């Protein structure tokens, strides 16, 4: 067998976690191969965080330009050309895809294009197509599964007529109107993006509020803001049937009312990508449709590891990256370090934007009791929109434990939330107390200063 088919590490998947692990392992001199059947970059770069954020910027430009009249800047009528926006987003994705491919090469990692599946606990078959029977067999001492997750559609008659988030980036133009199903990250983000670009958006949520698990005051504020911006919100409703064809769909929901729409976007969660991996041939155990791992990211097979969404732990890019790097540091760099899952900040790039770190008010009450939970908040109209009819408001909230005065939660809705909360996460990670916030001089006039002037 040719020696080029033997590696110290095979990584399945060139997404955030896989790329990070592969490059870090190679930096210690390991011989590493990454197998990818789709495009290098994975969900985050190709069809997730990055192109989504570019669409968010596009959508916010329109709002800001419209608001500029109230600051005395008249630029006439604003029109949206979503074809140009989508095309430019795709070009940027292409650039990043090449960049990530180059970075792998620079790191000395071998990129093998194709679909990898286990043949045994040390051998992976790489095929051009999943339907092929033959392919290249490669071998490694250690194998890392970093194949991520994919959008999941509910079992609704006609669901095949609906899009998932992946599809949104491949559209030529956005439709005139759309139904978005779901009340989580992706639903709120796409509802806001599309609304900002002038699409008529109806958001259908099966629960009674948006963003389950987020601080309720923050999610209620988002709900109100989205409705004020013209998003039609249907709560406690489930889609039952989709008929017609894209561009002319009829959607039946629980309340019996039929809605006509150009398109339906299912943003109803993601599931680990487990099919076609041949996990059974390597005796890798699954649990609730994910690959369970121990603290070392090891599966039940001691030389096979998994990181990122496929483990369904905390499904965020930075978490996958950190899991991948820590794995490589331990196995190839003799550095026994582990990801710290405390105070993982999260953002929802809705409009307004939400960001949060630590415990919600409810989580703090459940853990420490009502008497031990102190809440500080500031709610005000954003200065940036001071003259605008949009009246965006900011809500900032601190959750503090009474006895220790430790700040255990920091939540925000409003402009620059994600940028602000990233910094607040450092304070929480360092164990900051309310007095540390109070003793920090305000930077005026900013939104973030409210976090250090709350009484
Ligand atoms: P989420 O889990 O955030 O939300 C899924 C939504 O779909 C929930 O509102 C859920 O309702 C609803 N839902 C689930 N099943 C059904 C169904 N059968 N019928 C109707 N509604 C249903 O998933 P997303 O797809 O939005 O995002 C997936 C993950 O990707 C996120 O959890 C996050 O980890 C990551 N992500 C992160 C982003 C960021 O960092 N900004 C951006 C986008 C994604 P219920 O609450 O009742 O279960």
């Amino acid at each position: 067998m040719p020696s080029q088919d033997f590696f110290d590490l095979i990584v399945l998947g060139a997404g955030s976690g896989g790329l990070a692990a592969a490059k870090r392992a190679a930096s210690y001199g390991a011989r590493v191969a990454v197998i990818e059947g789709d495009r290098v970059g994975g969900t985050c770069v190709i069809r997730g965080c990055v192109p989504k954020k570019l669409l968010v910027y596009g959508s916010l430009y329109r709002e800001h330009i419209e608001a500029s009249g109230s600051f005395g800047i008249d630029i006439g009528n604003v029109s949206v050309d979503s074809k140009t926006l989508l095309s430019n987003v795709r070009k940027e994705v292409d650039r990043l895809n090449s960049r990530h491919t180059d970075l792998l090469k620079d790191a000395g990692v071998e990129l093998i294009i194709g679909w990898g599946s286990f043949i045994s606990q040390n051998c992976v078959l790489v095929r051009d197509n999943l339907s092929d029977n033959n392919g290249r067999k490669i071998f490694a001492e250690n194998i890392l599964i970093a194949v991520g997750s994919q959008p999941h559609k509910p079992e609704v008659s006609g669901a095949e007529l609906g899009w998932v988030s992946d599809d949104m980036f491949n559209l030529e133009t956005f439709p005139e109107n759309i139904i978005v199903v779901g009340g989580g990250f992706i639903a709120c983000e796409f509802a806001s993006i599309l609304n900002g670009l002038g699409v008529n958006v109806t958001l259908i949520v099966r629960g009674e509020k948006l963003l389950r698990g987020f601080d309720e005051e923050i999610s209620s504020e988002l709900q109100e803001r989205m409705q004020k911006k013209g998003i039609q919100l249907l709560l406690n409703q489930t889609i039952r049937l989709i008929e017609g064809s894209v561009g002319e769909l009829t959607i039946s929901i629980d309340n019996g009312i039929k809605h006509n729409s150009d398109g339906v976007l299912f943003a109803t969660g993601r599931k680990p990508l487990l099919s076609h991996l041949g996990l059974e041939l390597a005796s890798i155990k699954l649990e609730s449709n994910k690959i369970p791992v121990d603290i070392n990211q090891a599966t039940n097979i001691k030389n096979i590891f998994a990181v990122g969404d496929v483990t369904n732990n905390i499904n965020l890019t930075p978490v996958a990256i950190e899991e991948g790097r820590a794995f490589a540091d331990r196995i190839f760099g003799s550095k026994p370090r582990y990801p710290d899952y405390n105070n993982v900040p999260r953002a929802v790039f809705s409009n307004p934007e939400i960001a949060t770190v630590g415990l919600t008010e409810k989580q703090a009450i459940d853990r420490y009791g009502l008497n031990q939970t102190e809440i500080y908040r500031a709610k005000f109209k954003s200065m940036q929109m001071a003259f605008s009819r949009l009246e965006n408001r900011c809500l900032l909230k601190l959750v503090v434990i009474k006895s220790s005065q430790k700040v255990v939660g920091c939540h925000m809705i409003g402009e620059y939330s994600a940028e602000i909360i990233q910094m607040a996460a450092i304070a929480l990670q360092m164990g900051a107390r309310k007095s540390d916030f109070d003793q920090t001089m305000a930077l005026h006039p900013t939104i973030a200063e409210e976090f250090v002037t709350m009484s």
Side-chain angles (χ1 to χ4, degrees):
M1 219 158 292
S3 63
Q4 77 250 26
D5 290 331
F6 285 89
F7 295 89
D8 298 314
L9 174 68
I10 293 173
V11 178
L12 295 173
S16 302
L19 291 175
K23 286 184 287 184
R24 184 62 63 93
S27 77
Y28 295 116
R31 209 169 159 234
V32 185
V34 172
I35 302 170
E36 175 58 63
D38 204 313
R39 303 183 72 193
V40 171
T43 298
C44 170
V45 175
I46 307 294
R47 61 194 87 83
C49 319
V50 172
K52 178 276 307 289
K53 189 84 188 273
L54 291 167
L55 292 179
V56 168
Y57 283 130
S59 152
L60 290 177
Y61 265 115
R62 177 170 181 254
E63 184 172 283
H64 288 165
I65 289 167
E66 278 187 348
S68 66
S70 60
F71 284 86
I73 297 163
D74 185 2
I75 51 166
N77 285 337
V78 178
S79 66
V80 175
D81 171 12
S82 61
K83 192 172 178 176
T84 300
L85 174 59
L86 283 160
S87 158
N88 287 346
V89 167
R90 284 193 285 266
K91 277 185 211 148
E92 177 61 4
V93 167
D94 290 346
R95 189 187 69 78
L96 292 169
N97 167 244
S98 315
R99 182 85 189 108
H100 280 285
T101 308
D102 290 346
L103 287 172
L104 269 188
K105 204 171 162 197
D106 295 349
V109 174
E110 181 171 339
L111 172 63
I112 302 175
I113 300 294
W115 301 97
S117 60
F118 286 92
I119 286 188
S120 71
Q121 292 172 358
N122 289 97
C123 180
V124 169
L125 178 69
V126 187
R127 294 171 292 171
D128 290 343
N129 291 300
L130 290 168
S131 52
D132 292 350
N133 288 324
N134 299 314
R136 175 180 169 192
K137 280 184 190 166
I138 57 171
F139 301 81
E141 206 170 310
N142 295 291
I143 300 177
L144 178 68
I145 308 169
V147 294
S149 62
Q150 62 185 351
H152 168 73
K153 283 184 192 175
E155 283 185 17
V156 172
S157 177
E160 68 283 358
L161 296 167
W163 295 310
V164 292
S165 53
D166 296 3
D167 302 316
M168 301 306 285
F169 304 107
N170 292 324
L171 295 176
E172 269 307 298
T173 56
F174 286 131
E176 275 179 35
N177 57 67
I178 193 166
I179 285 181
V180 180
V181 187
F185 281 77
I186 296 177
C188 291
E189 290 180 344
F190 266 103
S192 290
I193 289 167
L194 294 167
N195 166 259
L197 293 172
V199 178
N200 286 317
V201 179
T202 302
L203 186 56
I204 299 183
V205 183
R206 72 174 172 187
E208 54 190 27
K209 48 177 53 120
L210 298 173
L211 294 173
R212 184 161 55 87
F214 278 69
D215 189 274
E216 291 188 9
E217 265 182 287
I218 301 279
S219 58
S220 299
E221 182 64 27
L222 176 64
Q223 195 165 307
E224 206 182 305
R225 290 295 109 200
M226 282 174 116
Q227 285 173 304
K228 283 254 159 66
K229 286 176 194 289
I231 295 174
Q232 195 191 355
L233 191 56
L234 304 176
L235 298 172
N236 298 309
Q237 295 296 331
T238 309
I239 280 202
R240 293 294 172 207
L241 174 67
I242 307 177
E243 297 166 293
S245 54
V246 172
E248 285 180 354
L249 295 173
T250 305
I251 291 96
S252 308
I253 61 173
D254 275 346
N255 62 11
I257 296 176
K258 290 187 182 223
H259 294 259
N260 294 322
S261 181
D262 293 337
V264 172
L265 166 61
F266 284 103
T268 43
R270 298 179 61 89
K271 292 217 163 142
L273 200 57
L274 298 170
S275 52
H276 311 295
L277 285 177
L279 298 172
E280 60 294 344
L281 295 180
S283 306
I284 299 164
K285 280 199 187 126
L286 294 182
E287 195 182 279
S288 319
N289 280 319
K290 66 176 182 188
I291 299 180
V293 287
D294 66 13
I295 185 179
N296 292 308
Q297 307 294 145
T299 66
N300 61 306
I301 306 301
K302 71 175 184 354
N303 68 311
I304 301 178
F305 303 82
V307 295
D309 283 16
V310 79
T311 66
N312 201 15
N313 178 15
I314 299 177
N315 299 332
L316 296 172
T317 293
V319 174
I321 291 173
E322 177 59 2
E323 287 176 349
R325 285 189 182 147
F327 154 79
D329 285 344
R330 283 192 304 272
I331 303 285
F332 299 100
S334 307
K335 291 180 191 157
R337 69 173 200 89
Y338 295 87
D340 184 343
Y341 296 105
N342 290 307
N343 297 313
V344 175
R346 289 159 216 254
V348 183
F349 294 99
S350 47
N351 186 11
E353 170 174 310
I354 287 178
T356 171
V357 59
L359 301 183
T360 64
E361 179 176 349
K362 183 173 180 309
Q363 286 167 336
I365 291 170
D366 289 347
R367 192 177 299 180
Y368 298 100
L370 186 58
N371 291 341
Q372 276 298 317
T373 306
E374 288 179 353
I375 301 297
Y376 298 84
R377 57 172 73 71
K379 192 170 183 175
F380 50 94
K381 191 174 161 180
S382 133
M383 212 185 202
Q384 192 171 23
M385 292 289 167
F387 311 137
S388 162
R389 65 175 172 83
L390 291 169
E391 279 189 20
N392 276 355
R393 286 191 307 237
C394 300
L395 171 61
L396 282 62
K397 197 165 162 181
L398 285 182
V399 182
V400 177
I401 300 311
K402 196 173 180 182
S403 54
S404 63
Q405 283 299 291
K406 215 172 149 184
V407 179
V408 292
C410 194
H411 309 273
M412 177 172 173
I413 179 167
E415 291 138 37
Y416 316 116
S417 296
E419 308 290 347
I420 294 167
I421 292 295
Q422 174 67 86
M423 292 295 104
I426 301 173
L428 261 69
Q429 190 66 352
M430 293 175 77
R433 288 162 208 284
K434 177 68 170 63
S435 56
D436 296 315
F437 276 66
D438 296 342
Q439 280 165 24
T440 303
M441 194 66 79
L443 182 60
H444 183 73
T446 60
I447 295 171
E449 70 178 313
E450 298 290 336
F451 272 129
V452 297
T453 56
M454 285 176 181
S455 56

